[in-house]
Amino acid sequence: MRIAPLAAAVTALFVASSTAAETSPDAHSEQVVIVECGHFVDVVHGKLLGETTIVARGDRIEKVVSGKVDTKAYMPAPNSRASLRYYPMPDRTCMPGLIDSHTHLTSQMSKSSYSDQFRLNPADYAIESTVYARRTLLAGFTTVRNVGDSNNESIALRNAVNKGLVPGPRIFSAGQFIGTTGGHADPTDGYRWDLQGDPTPKDGIINSPEDAWKAVRQHYKDGADLIKIMPSGGVLDESSSADNPQMTIAEIQAVVAAAHDYGFTVAAHAHGAEGIRRAIVGGVDSIEHGTFMNDEDMKLMKEHGTWYVPTIIAGQFVMGKAKEGWYPPQVARKALEVGPIIMGTAGKAYKAGVKIAFGTDAGVYPHGENAREFEYMVEAGMPPMFTIQAATLHAAQLLKHDKDFGSIEAGKFADVVAVPGNPLDDIKLMQKVDFVMKAGVVYEAGGKPVETALDN
Ligand SMILES: [Zn+2]
């Protein structure tokens, strides 16, 4: 990522810089960013702290101190390639970069989505995804787990973000969905017979444990980071049931065994109680949506240490749009059946002590509105601090990357966001993120995009 040192003043006091930072491959490691926060959410101890200063060097956090630091001590030597940026934010509350554990960055549902799939090519979705990635980052989400696309566009997007070609969150991609014939992952559900073809493991469609191994290995070959399966019906496909079981335990176990060979975690979309039970017993890492999760499922999740990613906002959104006529009749019926239930399930799971990671199903609703989920989680009965921990520390644990991010501590990636005021008093402030730093690069300050960081 090219950094033009002088242009990023924004609301920050730009202290000092140098020549040629943008041409030196090492320039980034010589950049220091000092972020002075009026308050600080300590997600590790679940506490709101007072004035705290974060010093980032290169892409990592060098130190976190109570109060201020002497900025003069960080002034680069004259003519050095190093630079220093200073962001005094006395009225802001800082916290770790947010993590959405359930996004679909390569599409966004609209009234025309069902016919678009006959008009748009993978390249169209890939280009759209760069816009959604930017919106997601500027909303404060510095990391996402992208749990499924149609043609591995999210793997290409991840690579483009990693190369610094497009701004976006750090992406962990599941590549294509994996499911069974006629199920939630089948790309030809609802097509007339002569257009259906017969999707195979290469398309993410499996019908035996042997197929499961092949599909996971194909994902390894494609460059995925994790696996997403569909052990129960879903809402937005054109089949009849949102909750019937759609994979056998043997198929799920085969996916999990194959995934473990390649160091992948497994996320399981599941609405129905039986699909959820099979996924937990089969060894998946997380249950997504979990709408009709029963007491037995919750008990099993605690026993197996399975994470729950509720996606309440998706339920609320599809319920609203079903009434506005966005979906084909069969989809609308399922949306009205599933939508209202998720919030209650999330509240029950929280009370039962199930591990919860923040996730939203972004793409089902407009990208960039991810932080509305915080409000729904609080409405479901979760304390505001818990919701922020779910979107930082817990989501990083689910990704098995809590050594690298999820909290603001020395040695971790310098992922920091800030909101005006105290989000523990008013959780809606999470929708007002106006400072975003990812890996030591500031993308937004004073509520304005930092164009030098966004523009290549
Ligand atoms: Zn989803």
Side-chain angles (χ1 to χ4, degrees):
M1 180 68 62
R2 183 180 68 109
I3 306 294
L6 277 172
V10 194
T11 59
L13 209 66
F14 184 75
V15 178
S17 85
S18 64
T19 54
E22 63 270 55
T23 53
S24 160
D26 306 323
H28 190 53
S29 65
E30 293 163 38
Q31 306 217 358
V32 173
V33 182
I34 296 176
V35 185
E36 235 174 56
C37 313
H39 288 88
F40 179 86
V41 182
D42 175 354
V43 293
V44 176
H45 302 98
K47 280 188 190 147
L48 181 70
L49 305 178
E51 190 179 54
T52 303
T53 301
I54 303 154
V55 179
R57 187 179 294 275
D59 60 1
R60 301 271 171 170
I61 293 164
E62 185 172 273
K63 62 176 173 181
V64 184
V65 298
S66 173
K68 291 185 167 75
V69 294
D70 177 11
T71 50
K72 288 199 192 77
Y74 293 91
M75 288 284 280
N79 299 324
S80 87
R81 284 175 164 174
S83 73
L84 169 63
R85 289 172 192 206
Y86 171 48
Y87 294 90
M89 303 194 290
D91 52 358
R92 294 293 187 274
T93 300
C94 295
M95 64 193 85
L98 304 172
I99 304 168
D100 191 329
S101 311
H102 192 128
T103 67
H104 301 284
L105 282 175
T106 57
S107 64
Q108 182 166 297
M109 289 296 291
S110 71
K111 264 185 177 170
S112 65
S113 292
Y114 290 88
S115 53
D116 282 348
Q117 55 188 325
F118 294 96
R119 298 188 192 98
L120 300 184
N121 288 303
D124 294 300
Y125 290 103
I127 289 172
E128 280 184 29
S129 77
T130 63
V131 176
Y132 305 144
R134 184 185 199 270
R135 279 181 200 159
T136 304
L137 177 65
L138 293 181
F141 290 82
T142 52
T143 303
V144 303
R145 196 176 62 143
N146 203 77
V147 285
D149 62 29
S150 299
N151 293 286
N152 287 331
E153 301 96 332
S154 65
I155 293 175
L157 177 66
R158 176 202 65 196
N159 295 345
V161 169
N162 288 349
K163 279 186 202 161
L165 295 175
V166 295
R170 185 180 296 115
I171 297 169
F172 293 87
S173 169
Q176 290 183 326
F177 307 98
I178 295 179
T180 54
T181 295
H184 190 45
D186 190 327
T188 61
D189 272 347
Y191 289 12
R192 68 171 200 245
W193 187 79
D194 61 310
L195 293 178
Q196 284 176 10
D198 188 13
T200 67
K202 192 159 181 171
D203 311 297
I205 298 305
I206 65 165
N207 286 288
S208 68
E210 288 72 22
D211 280 358
W213 281 90
K214 189 168 182 188
V216 171
R217 286 168 173 168
Q218 181 66 46
H219 277 63
Y220 176 63
K221 189 173 177 181
D222 293 340
D225 303 300
L226 64 133
I227 298 295
K228 166 77 177 299
I229 58 170
M230 306 294 206
S232 101
V235 172
L236 295 177
D237 69 78
E238 290 196 65
S239 64
S240 64
S241 168
D243 63 324
N244 57 8
Q246 297 188 342
M247 292 176 77
T248 65
I249 291 182
E251 286 165 344
I252 297 166
Q253 282 171 332
V255 166
V256 169
H260 288 173
D261 271 0
Y262 299 99
F264 297 146
T265 56
V266 179
H269 154 108
H271 292 293
E274 173 61 11
I276 294 168
R277 186 188 70 81
R278 292 186 195 179
I280 303 163
V281 171
V284 304
D285 294 276
S286 64
I287 299 293
E288 315 291 310
H289 320 302
T291 309
F292 301 107
M293 184 185 293
N294 59 25
D295 293 346
E296 179 63 19
D297 289 334
M298 291 185 198
K299 198 168 148 250
L300 273 175
M301 286 178 82
K302 286 169 70 181
E303 278 169 27
H304 288 253
T306 316
W307 288 91
Y308 177 33
V309 180
T311 72
I312 306 169
I313 182 175
Q316 299 288 315
F317 188 86
V318 298
M319 189 165 67
K321 293 301 171 191
K323 290 173 191 157
E324 288 176 31
W326 265 34
Y327 311 121
Q330 186 125 277
V331 174
R333 176 181 57 73
K334 291 189 291 179
L336 293 172
E337 179 191 321
V338 164
I341 309 288
I342 301 182
M343 187 185 287
T345 304
K348 265 181 87 176
Y350 168 74
K351 278 206 192 90
V354 174
K355 295 196 295 182
I356 293 174
F358 180 102
T360 67
D361 219 354
V364 165
Y365 68 89
H367 293 284
E369 296 181 13
N370 315 54
R372 288 173 54 205
E373 180 77 6
F374 288 103
E375 204 183 335
Y376 287 127
M377 290 168 91
V378 170
E379 203 179 323
M382 300 177 211
M385 177 62 85
F386 178 87
T387 66
I388 295 174
Q389 289 169 318
T392 53
L393 203 57
H394 298 169
Q397 287 165 357
L398 166 56
L399 278 165
K400 297 195 193 287
H401 279 280
D402 46 314
K403 280 205 178 75
D404 278 323
F405 47 80
S407 61
I408 298 177
E409 294 176 283
K412 295 197 176 182
F413 280 122
D415 296 352
V416 178
V417 302
V419 298
N422 180 358
L424 302 178
D425 284 346
D426 179 5
I427 198 66
K428 281 190 183 168
L429 291 175
M430 296 302 290
Q431 296 168 45
K432 299 228 151 64
V433 167
D434 61 1
F435 175 85
V436 179
M437 173 163 72
K438 181 190 125 196
V441 178
V442 177
Y443 290 91
E444 183 177 5
K448 294 198 181 76
V450 176
E451 293 300 338
T452 50
L454 289 165
D455 175 20
N456 279 277

